[in-house]
Amino acid sequence: MATILTVAIPEIIRHPSAIPTESHTDRRYSPAMEALAERLSQLDAQAEGAIRVVAFYDTLMRRRVDLPALARASAVLAECVAGLRLHGTGRAIRMAPDGRQASTPPAPASTTMPITLDEEEIGTVWLERPGPPVPLDDMLLDRLAIAAAAAAERYGPARTTMADPALVELAISTDSDDPATARALRLLGFAADLPIHVLAVRSELPLDQIATLVCPARPVKAAPLTDAGVILATTIDPARIPASARAGIGAAESPSRSWRQARTALRFTTPRQPVIHYDDLGALTLLTEIPPETARDNTDVAAITHMADNPEDLETLDAYCTTGSLRQAADLLHLHHSSVARRIEQLAKTLRIDLTQPTGLTRARLALTTWRLLNN
């Protein structure tokens, strides 16, 4: 006969329905777990937001947007006024969340970030948030600063003709090394592979007006310096320079050397020849190497200096030296050739030069040109 064994069920084993819904352990650790879960949820949201910010600015950089577009997009993303400024431009770009230029007075920046290019600080970006900064503000500004540096390198400080004189002077200075010159040209908006032409200009017209005339469709920058205005352009159309302006055009590829050539060419300009290319001067540039004291002591130059007191005589000699012909000089002066012949005969006596001979005409031309260089 089979024996049936009975085993008593220990009290420690209970049916799940008999287990209390909240144990001592649950009461002890559940608030901490909930806080941790909430924190992880917040971190996930921040990580997702950071990824969106990075992708947002990567898209803007691929689209090669300019500085105002960067500020505008940043303001919309941050939902507050976003601003940026490049050092030396004197101009701040401030955009409101509605995509328009901020019309409100500048508010204190809640968060700022420097713009750096080639390890040099070139400007600042900021947010004008009414309340305290939000967690992603630093990342947003960091990406904005990177994008602004790329835009400044590509387009320059702004799509305007007038530029910061200090930046232009750095680009054409003989004291600047190649990296400094290249950096200045990039900040001015000139790509590394573009040729740079330099003009030295004197005119009563606004310099930016002349710059847009000579180079209407490609990058061009202008700035007034102490002795003349300087125009940097990728192309030049000399025929578009206003007749009232004087301009010298450099020939060298190096901006600093081209600027020296342009200033030299400017010294040779006259009312009848207001635009001169340095390459067209040839051996005449050697006259600029003569010490001023030596030039003034020359007999022929001294005679021209004395003649300059009478503008009519100087104009007649200039017309004759320019054309080498009495009749052509008469046409320039709108006089009868016999009247010009009498004037030239009198000037020859004053200068003690036979102006009818090639040698005498050459002496007069050189003396007149040297006198101009002393006074330009």
Side-chain angles (χ1 to χ4, degrees), residues 65-188:
V65 300
D66 57 10
L67 294 173
L70 279 174
R72 183 180 301 110
S74 301
V76 174
L77 181 63
E79 298 182 347
C80 67
V81 173
L84 63 87
R85 178 188 292 106
L86 296 185
H87 298 332
T89 63
R91 174 174 173 255
I93 301 173
R94 298 175 61 246
M95 292 294 177
D98 60 3
R100 300 178 183 178
Q101 288 190 5
S103 57
T104 57
S110 59
T111 313
T112 63
M113 190 79 66
I115 305 172
T116 58
L117 181 63
D118 294 339
E119 300 182 355
E120 179 182 348
E121 185 175 327
I122 64 170
T124 307
V125 294
W126 68 88
L127 296 178
E128 300 174 19
R129 191 177 295 284
V134 301
L136 290 177
D137 278 359
D138 285 341
M139 172 166 281
L140 187 151
L141 284 179
D142 179 67
R143 303 306 297 184
L144 172 57
I146 294 172
E153 184 176 18
R154 184 180 303 117
Y155 298 120
R159 289 182 174 179
T160 59
T161 299
M162 296 303 292
D164 177 22
L167 198 57
V168 171
E169 196 162 6
L170 179 63
I172 61 176
S173 172
T174 56
D175 297 329
S176 300
D177 54 19
D178 290 342
T181 299
R183 185 184 304 115
L185 290 174
R186 286 199 306 271
L187 292 175
L188 288 168

Side-chain angles (χ1 to χ4, degrees), residues 299-311:
T299 304
D300 292 348
V301 176
I304 295 292
T305 302
H306 180 71
M307 182 187 298
D309 294 335
N310 190 332

Side-chain angles (χ1 to χ4, degrees), residues 185-205:
L185 290 174
R186 286 199 306 271
L187 292 175
L188 288 168
F190 296 102
D193 57 345
L194 289 178
I196 303 296
H197 301 275
V198 184
L199 285 78
V201 179
R202 289 197 185 102
S203 176
E204 297 296 328
L205 296 174

